[in-house]
């Protein structure tokens, strides 16, 4: 039933198709990209070439094919987005569910902490947490160096779980008041049973929505970081969508429009698609959608 | 000779829904006399509320209304929303089931009554405020002057419903439609509200349509009764007559299903309410009626006089005498 | 009501202290103030380092150090920047003024248009106008601000210049280089692009908020009562509909505004607009503790104050919430 409602959202379905195609393109990277990520298109002069036959989207400052780099870059960013979102949602759902279900001190403390974090300007907290994380010695073996992809994934996981926790907590709180929970309790269902059979299935909807928005948040956040030069810097010219977008700023002034337009366009398309899907998910899993006559 | 204040003829109302066309009202005829209390009884889905929402012009644009609704000599079907706005609140009013959600939470009570007064009559703000306090007093709210400055959430359920009534009668309407006004209230408060309605009706000479599914309320307050099922009238008549010798199987079923001391088992009406997208052919009640035969399947019954009632049962004259216990 | 306000204010002080303490700890761990100091002043003497530690409250014991810093901060004894020993307050004051100007302009424009669009959309839900506005808002939210900033720059500055000779809107700074004094027209010209960028996000967000809130209200029972009174559509919409629908919006707007002081970093960076954002990026990059801490205090104070304003206005607007 929810599935049927979902597919009635045309924008969401189109988004799924687009994202699906993009994912396929990106997974089969060595075959779908035309050059390596650090490979020059041709012998110099090869910098800043406009889009043409042997470089569909033009080249960058040292002659690398933008199209290929975009594919590899999107791959990195998608991985970052998906992994950090998965971790965030796992941790966040657990914490949120417990906080909502148990209430009491744990709930209070959790809410104050998340309130605090979420109230601060995003970039400020991001940068500060990034630095603090990087300065803690025992994190290093787990996360790798501050510029590694692993680190960024961990960073966004830490950020992401808090929003998810609030959403799940909210859902659990409202579920707790519903009569069917009261009824389950009245017939003697154990707490664990209630959580397993009632709370979790009814929370799947909001959790999935939270998942999609976490992915978008992470991808956009990675771009923001890269924009300021704090993005992932894996060696060998490896790149991420964020880095490519970050380079757009300079490209604007100099008029190399393809270096700005294509990465930005890709980011917007990905962001829009995931948002559409998330919105449609939210609509289709909303059990209280009867509005008006 | 009492005149009719409201005359509904051949009213049909359908709704477009994603699941199909819902035939909510399928040919309703009814009259309301000036100054009387008409009880309209039926289960959910019988079309009783929809009929009067249509009378007030409060249905959404998804509803298709055809037929005739004449209020105080004026045809309402086909009026523009502008025209309806001048009728609503002035010639007729409606009150609804849940008093808390019926009142705007951010406006003071007095102001909500004044608004009603000022939109249809020439009142200054001060005059309206004074009149509002008088109205609160009329419906039995103690310390009306102070209460008028309070907000809805500061009132109890019964008090709020009195306020709702005060708003509805502010402009001395000729017709008051009360859609399940006591359903959301405690039994003791129910009696009070009914008493308020009755008192107001007698003092102002307002005709009242009392929509409910509760036969006890009808017995207490109504002069005449109209029973509805599946979007049509099923039986009409004076209260005492209807309760004493009901002629339609549905009415009988309703009366029999009232729990009585001494009766060991409850006797509900068999079957389920009909699907209003495709109701049963002929008499819609036939699927639950122990007396139905072939003609009930093919003919849609009209209201015809039967003894001192009007009935829509094709076999009314063949039914056994009515006893409450069976 | 007064008691409620006083109670909240009383809570605000310890909250402020705790949060600034956490910020203090985070900055010390994250930016390593002493090292940064040494890095910026390579030929500094141990004596100077000791003075630096002293005046900034950088004791090994974080709690003691915090209170030392707090003492200096409250008594106005502010340490100077590690770069060139500049005074903190003048730079901070200017940055704040610039950001506030941008923030207020964008908020006013954004909320105004956002509410209008939200209202238009909810008048006929599901209609073509509604779908158009919704989609527009959706796209507005999905485009990260730095992309719209870049695109607008591209369009209005670079290409406009190519096509028409001079750029329609400048792309950086508050005034042209070397300008002194106050010039409203110039200021507006320079503020135009950044304001539009920020306003896009605000318009998109608030149109959705209002649409959702208004639809909720329009479908509620008291609207039915209002209609059954036979009063005019306009009165119903404004007096009953908007009056209720705006309550959550005002609250959110207050909170959002509290966050705007530190929330325009990206936009300021792209347009080289010397506000709180650029101030932060520069001092953070340098690890300039004396510059950073006051900045943080302003941010925290702003958030707390506007949260309080939000709560108060919510209680004032919605009688159900008034806590005695």
């Amino acid at each position: 039933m929810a599935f049927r409602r979902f597919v009635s959202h045309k924008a969401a379905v189109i988004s799924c198709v687009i994202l699906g195609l993009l994912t396929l393109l990106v997974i089969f990277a060595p075959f779908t990209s035309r050059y390596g990520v650090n490979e020059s298109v041709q012998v110099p002069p090869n910098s800043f070439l406009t889009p043409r036959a042997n470089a569909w989207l033009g080249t960058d400052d040292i002659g690398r094919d933008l199209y290929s780099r975009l594919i590899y870059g999107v791959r990195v960013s998608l991985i970052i987005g998906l992994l950090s979102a998965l971790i965030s949602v796992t941790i966040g759902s657990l914490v949120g569910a417990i906080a909502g279900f148990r209430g009491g001190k744990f709930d209070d403390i959790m809410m104050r902490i998340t309130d605090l974090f979420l109230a601060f300007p995003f970039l400020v907290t991001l940068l500060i947490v990034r630095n603090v994380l990087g300065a803690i010695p025992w994190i290093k073996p787990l996360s790798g160096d501050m510029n590694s992809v692993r680190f960024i994934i961990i960073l966004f996981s830490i950020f992401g779980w808090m929003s998810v926790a609030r959403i799940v907590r909210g859902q659990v709180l409202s579920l707790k008041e519903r009569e069917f929970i009261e009824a389950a309790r009245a017939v003697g269902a154990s707490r664990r049973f209630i959580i397993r059979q009632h709370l979790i299935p009814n929370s799947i909807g909001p959790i999935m929505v939270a998942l999609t928005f976490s992915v978008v948040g992470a991808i956009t956040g990675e771009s923001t970081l890269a924009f300021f030069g704090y993005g992932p810097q894996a060696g060998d010219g490896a790149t991420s969508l964020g880095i490519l977008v970050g380079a757009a700023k300079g490209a604007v002034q100099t008029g190399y429009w393809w270096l700005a337009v294509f990465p930005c366009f890709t980011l917007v398309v990905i962001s829009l698609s995931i948002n559409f899907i998330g919105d449609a998910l939210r609509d289709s899993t909303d059990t209280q959608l009867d509005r008006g006559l | 000779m009492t005149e009719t204040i409201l005359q509904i003829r051949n009213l049909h109302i359908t709704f477009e829904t994603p699941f199909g066309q819902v035939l909510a009202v399928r040919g309703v005829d009814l009259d309301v006399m000036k100054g009387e209390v008409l009880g309209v009884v039926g289960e959910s889905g019988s079309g009783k509320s929809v009929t009067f929402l249509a009378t007030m012009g409060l249905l959404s644009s998804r509803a298709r209304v055809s037929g005739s609704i004449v209020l105080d000599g004026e045809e309402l079907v086909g009026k523009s929303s502008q025209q309806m706005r001048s009728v609503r609140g002035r010639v007729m009013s409606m009150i609804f089931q849940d008093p808390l959600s019926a009142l705007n939470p951010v406006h003071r009570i007095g102001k909500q009554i004044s608004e009603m007064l000022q939109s249809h009559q020439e009142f200054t703000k001060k005059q309206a405020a004074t009149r509002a306090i008088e109205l609160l007093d009329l419906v039995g709210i103690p310390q009306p002057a102070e209460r008028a400055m309070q907000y809805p959430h500061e009132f109890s359920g019964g008090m709020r419903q009195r306020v709702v009534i005060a708003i509805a009668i502010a402009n001395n309407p000729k017709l008051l439609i009360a859609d399940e006004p006591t359903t959301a209230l405690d039994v003791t408060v129910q009696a009070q509200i009914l008493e308020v309605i009755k008192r107001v009706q007698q003092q102002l000479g307002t005709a009242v349509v009392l929509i409910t599914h509760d036969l006890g309320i009808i017995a207490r307050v109504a002069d005449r009764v109209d029973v509805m099922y599946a979007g049509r009238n099923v039986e009409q008549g004076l209260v005492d007559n209807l309760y004493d010798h009901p002629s339609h199987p549905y009415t009988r079923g309703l009366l029999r299903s009232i729990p009585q001391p001494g009766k060991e088992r409850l006797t509900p009406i068999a079957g389920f309410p009909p699907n209003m997208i495709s109701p049963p052919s002929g008499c819609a009640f036939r699927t639950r009626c122990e007396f139905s035969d072939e003609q009930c399947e093919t003919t849609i019954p009209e209201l015809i006089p039967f003894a001192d009632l009007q009935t829509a049962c094709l076999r009314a004259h063949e039914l056994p005498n009515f006893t409450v216990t069976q | 009501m007064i008691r409620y306000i006083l109670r909240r204010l009383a809570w605000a002080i310890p909250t402020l202290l705790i949060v600034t303490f956490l910020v203090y700890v985070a900055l010390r761990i994250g930016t390593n103030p002493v090292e940064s100091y040494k890095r910026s002043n390579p030929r500094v003497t141990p004596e100077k380092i000791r003075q630096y530690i002293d005046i900034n409250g950088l004791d090994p014991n974080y709690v003691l150090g915090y209170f030392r810093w707090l003492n200096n901060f409250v008594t106005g004894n502010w340490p100077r920047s590690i770069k060139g020993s500049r005074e903190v307050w003048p730079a901070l004051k200017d940055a704040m003024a610039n950001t506030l100007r941008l923030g207020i302009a964008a908020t006013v424009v954004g909320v105004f248009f956002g509410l209008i669009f939200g209202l238009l959309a909810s008048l006929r839900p599901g209609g073509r106008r509604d779908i158009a506005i919704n989609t527009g808002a959706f796209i507005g939210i999905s485009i990260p601000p730095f992309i719209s900033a870049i695109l607008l720059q591209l369009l209005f500055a670079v290409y406009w210049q190519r096509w028409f000779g001079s750029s329609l809107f400048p792309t950086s700074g508050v005034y042209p280089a070397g300008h002194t004094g106050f010039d409203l027209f110039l200021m507006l010209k320079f503020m135009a692009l950044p304001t539009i960028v920020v306003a896009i996000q605000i318009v998109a967000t608030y149109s959705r908020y209002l649409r959702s809130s208004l639809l909720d209200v329009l479908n509620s029972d008291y609207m039915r009562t209002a209609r059954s009174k036979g009063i005019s559509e306009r009165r119903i919409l404004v007096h009953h509909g908007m009056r209720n629908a705006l309550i959550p919006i005002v609250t959110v707007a207050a909170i959002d505004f509290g966050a705007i002081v530190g929330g325009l970093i990206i936009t300021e960076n792209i347009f080289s607009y010397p506000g709180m954002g650029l101030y932060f990026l520069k001092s953070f990059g340098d690890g300039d503790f004396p510059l950073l801490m006051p900045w943080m205090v302003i941010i925290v104070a702003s958030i707390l104050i506007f949260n309080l304003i939000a709560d108060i206005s919510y209680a004032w607007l919605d009688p159900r919430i008034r806590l005695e």
Side-chain angles (χ1 to χ4, degrees), chain C residues 289-305:
Chain C
F289 193 82
L291 283 184
L292 279 173
M293 281 304 285
W295 188 93
M296 283 295 186
V297 172
I298 292 187
I299 298 287
V300 174
S302 166
I303 294 176
L304 285 177
I305 292 177

Side-chain angles (χ1 to χ4, degrees), chain C residues 200-254:
Chain C
I200 290 180
Q201 290 272 309
I202 299 183
V203 169
T205 322
Y206 279 85
S207 64
R208 298 192 95 204
Y209 279 161
L210 184 62
R211 177 187 182 275
S212 155
S213 180
L214 201 50
L215 279 183
D216 261 346
V217 166
L218 290 176
N219 280 321
S220 58
D221 284 348
Y222 57 82
M223 289 308 278
R224 187 177 51 176
T225 306
R227 282 193 206 108
S228 73
K229 286 185 185 174
I231 56 187
S232 72
E233 273 304 310
R234 169 138 31 105
R235 196 181 157 83
I236 291 182
L237 191 61
V238 172
H239 245 78
H240 292 264
M242 287 294 268
R243 172 70 175 82
N244 276 282
L246 282 178
I247 296 179
I249 305 248
V250 167
T251 319
V252 171

Side-chain angles (χ1 to χ4, degrees), chain A residues 17-34 56-57 66-76 78 266 270:
Chain A
V17 171
I18 293 182
L19 279 182
L21 287 175
L22 201 62
T23 317
L24 285 177
L25 202 68
V26 153
I27 292 181
F28 296 111
F31 299 104
T32 50
S33 79
R34 303 179 68 201
W56 288 341
L57 303 181
L66 185 62
Y67 168 73
S68 310
R69 280 175 67 74
L70 207 50
I71 290 188
Y72 283 106
V74 169
R75 183 159 74 167
V76 170
L78 277 183
T266 316
I270 294 181

